[in-house]
């Protein structure tokens, strides 16, 4: 990640990378046998490096703690606030089917149209050429407008969007905590609102055997936040009172709260995997297990990765180092 943030440093004016030629990212994984290409790619190495660096960056830290908030972080939050406002401006329509409200397509069309402009508000003038490339990941991060569904592949596109902003030097090493606590957390709030408002279907959900219908990363980073907590253990997150009292500090508990709001019945039945995780003795074990599970269940699954797009910032080429 330090290599991703090769432009970090104290100088405010970042020198543009030498003649970087940007490109519109495109699909490269067309059949199951292409998965090997993905696992060897620079994109996979950089993506995973980014996830793990942030995992370390938030370790033992509360959402409410003090951290630096740079101007690009503020601008990303403003971008997400705009998406949120568009939901208010696009109420669900009356339709016979309960799920997959077609108003989502109207909302999405607006993002599709405005994405490059939105991204241009976050990146400095001398990097304007990067906007079309980076904007693709933003558009991919909010769900599919044909199927009106959302899943971990869309979430991965948002992480890739942030990773690209690091690679072009817009976000820096000292933005780590703000990337997760301010930007990613705000993204989650907007996604939950989309999921609720338009009754989106889970994309490629494994039903009761998956971790969660929609997200994965906040469980990884959220479990890292809880490592070495003096009194909250994994067994406590299935306790309603513990969740109610602590969810504002911990992303993991925020996720649990959302699940219990959306689902009825005993927790052990609707969220079996999480129930099993509550029996793991320590948060560091939970965190390691979730990272392994993320690779296996999301990043190494063809139905998820076939939609991932590759460009100049996240290249399909094999790792060079």
């Amino acid at each position: 990640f330090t290599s991703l943030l090769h432009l970090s440093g104290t100088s405010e004016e970042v020198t543009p990378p030498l003649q970087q030629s940007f490109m519109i990212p495109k699909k490269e994984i067309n059949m199951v046998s292409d998965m090997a290409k993905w696992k060897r790619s620079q994109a996979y190495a950089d993506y995973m490096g980014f996830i793990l660096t942030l995992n370390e960056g938030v370790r033992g830290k509360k959402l409410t703690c003090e951290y630096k908030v740079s101007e690009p972080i503020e601008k990303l939050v403003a971008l997400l606030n705009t998406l949120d406002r568009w939901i208010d401006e696009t109420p669900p329509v009356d339709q016979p089917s309960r799920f997959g409200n077609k108003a989502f397509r109207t909302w999405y069309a607006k993002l599709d149209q405005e994405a490059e402009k939105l991204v241009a508000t976050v990146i400095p003038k001398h990097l304007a050429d990067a906007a079309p490339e980076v904007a693709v990941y933003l558009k991919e991060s909010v769900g599919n407008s044909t199927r009106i569904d959302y899943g971990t592949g869309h979430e991965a596109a948002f992480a890739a969007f942030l990773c690209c902003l690091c690679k072009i030097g817009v976000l820096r090493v000292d933005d780590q905590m703000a990337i997760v606590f301010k930007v990613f957390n705000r993204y989650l709030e907007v996604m939950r609102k989309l999921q609720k408002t338009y009754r989106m279907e889970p994309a490629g959900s494994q039903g009761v055997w998956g971790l969660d219908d929609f997200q994965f990363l906040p469980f990884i980073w959220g479990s890292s936040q809880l490592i070495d907590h003096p009194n909250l253990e994994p067994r406590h997150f299935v306790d309603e009172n513990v969740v109610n009292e602590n969810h504002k500090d911990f992303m993991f508990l925020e996720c649990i709260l959302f699940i219990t709001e959306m689902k009825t019945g005993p927790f052990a039945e609707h969220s079996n995997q999480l129930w099993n995780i509550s029996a793991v003795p320590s948060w560091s074990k939970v965190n390691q297990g979730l990272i392994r599970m993320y690779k296996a269940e999301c990043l190494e699954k063809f139905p998820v990765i076939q939609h991932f797009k590759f460009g100049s910032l996240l290249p399909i080429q094999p790792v060079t180092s």
Side-chain angles (χ1 to χ4, degrees):
F1 189 53
T2 16
S3 69
L4 288 184
L5 292 179
H6 54 283
L7 302 171
S8 66
T10 47
S11 75
E12 273 309 294
E13 198 38 63
V14 182
T15 45
L18 285 173
Q19 291 311 303
Q20 166 83 334
S21 56
F22 297 103
M23 62 179 276
I24 300 295
K26 58 185 203 300
K27 279 174 64 153
E28 300 277 2
I29 309 299
N30 300 307
M31 41 196 174
V32 177
S33 57
D34 292 334
M35 289 297 285
K37 235 184 353 183
W38 152 244
K39 283 183 247 175
R40 282 195 300 267
S41 71
Q42 189 64 50
Y44 182 90
D46 287 349
Y47 180 85
M48 221 36 238
F50 182 67
I51 300 302
L52 294 174
T53 300
L54 294 175
N55 189 55
E56 282 308 303
V58 300
R59 189 183 172 129
K61 305 278 201 305
K62 291 181 176 182
L63 285 168
T64 48
C65 74
E66 295 274 308
Y67 49 84
K68 173 182 166 265
V69 179
S70 64
E71 199 183 340
I73 294 284
E74 296 283 15
K75 287 173 172 173
L76 281 164
V77 172
L79 181 158
L80 291 163
N81 291 343
T82 301
L83 302 189
D84 191 336
R85 194 183 70 243
W86 291 348
I87 302 174
D88 297 333
E89 292 166 8
T90 320
V93 294
D94 275 335
Q95 62 177 45
S97 65
R98 230 174 108 218
F99 287 93
N101 195 283
K102 290 180 177 55
F104 175 72
R105 292 181 181 148
T106 311
W107 180 90
Y108 184 85
K110 197 167 173 78
L111 173 62
D112 195 33
Q113 212 183 337
E114 303 288 327
E116 273 183 44
K117 276 200 208 93
L118 289 172
V119 170
T121 63
V122 178
I123 59 184
K125 291 270 187 291
H126 70 268
L127 289 168
D129 291 355
E133 176 165 347
V134 177
V136 168
Y137 295 104
L138 179 63
K139 287 191 281 196
E140 295 278 320
S141 73
V142 297
N144 181 286
S145 67
T146 311
R147 294 187 303 272
I148 315 182
D149 67 4
Y150 176 94
T152 49
H154 302 109
E155 178 189 71
F158 191 75
F161 167 67
L162 297 172
C163 183
C164 287
L165 292 173
C166 288
K167 293 195 81 170
I168 59 173
V170 172
L171 298 172
R172 316 281 189 86
V173 169
D174 54 1
D175 288 318
Q176 278 181 62
M177 285 169 69
I179 289 172
V180 180
F181 292 169
K182 238 187 152 47
V183 181
F184 192 81
N185 206 42
R186 184 73 186 104
Y187 164 75
L188 284 176
E189 289 168 2
V190 179
M191 291 309 106
R192 286 173 185 143
K193 187 166 168 176
L194 277 181
Q195 290 152 16
K196 255 186 186 160
T197 305
Y198 303 123
R199 302 297 302 264
M200 297 177 78
E201 300 270 12
S205 165
Q206 296 151 322
V208 74
W209 302 112
L211 186 65
D212 175 76
D213 279 346
F214 298 111
Q215 314 296 156
F216 203 113
L217 292 172
F219 292 95
I220 296 180
W221 296 330
S223 59
S224 181
Q225 282 184 277
L226 285 154
I227 290 173
D228 298 331
H229 191 284
N231 40 26
L232 286 181
E233 293 169 35
R235 63 191 170 94
H236 291 123
F237 77 73
V238 290
D239 177 336
E240 209 179 323
N241 295 333
V242 171
V243 173
N244 289 333
E245 282 164 33
N246 298 283
H247 71 93
K248 287 189 166 62
D249 282 325
F250 301 103
M251 220 168 216
F252 195 100
L253 302 181
E254 204 63 271
C255 290
I256 301 295
L257 186 68
F258 185 66
I259 291 171
T260 52
E261 278 173 10
M262 299 296 277
K263 297 195 170 185
T264 51
F267 190 88
E269 284 174 30
H270 63 61
S271 302
N272 192 261
Q273 278 280 28
L274 283 166
W275 179 260
N276 294 337
I277 287 169
S278 71
V280 174
S282 72
W283 284 111
S284 65
K285 283 268 185 295
V286 169
N287 185 244
Q288 289 159 6
L290 286 173
I291 290 165
R292 279 198 306 273
M293 186 179 169
Y294 184 60
K295 288 179 180 169
E297 298 302 321
C298 301
L299 301 185
E300 294 177 9
K301 285 281 188 278
F302 175 72
V304 177
I305 295 304
Q306 63 171 332
H307 303 292
F308 197 89
K309 294 186 173 169
F310 301 85
S312 75
L313 296 168
L314 290 169
I316 188 69
Q317 280 71 36
V319 176
T320 42
S321 55

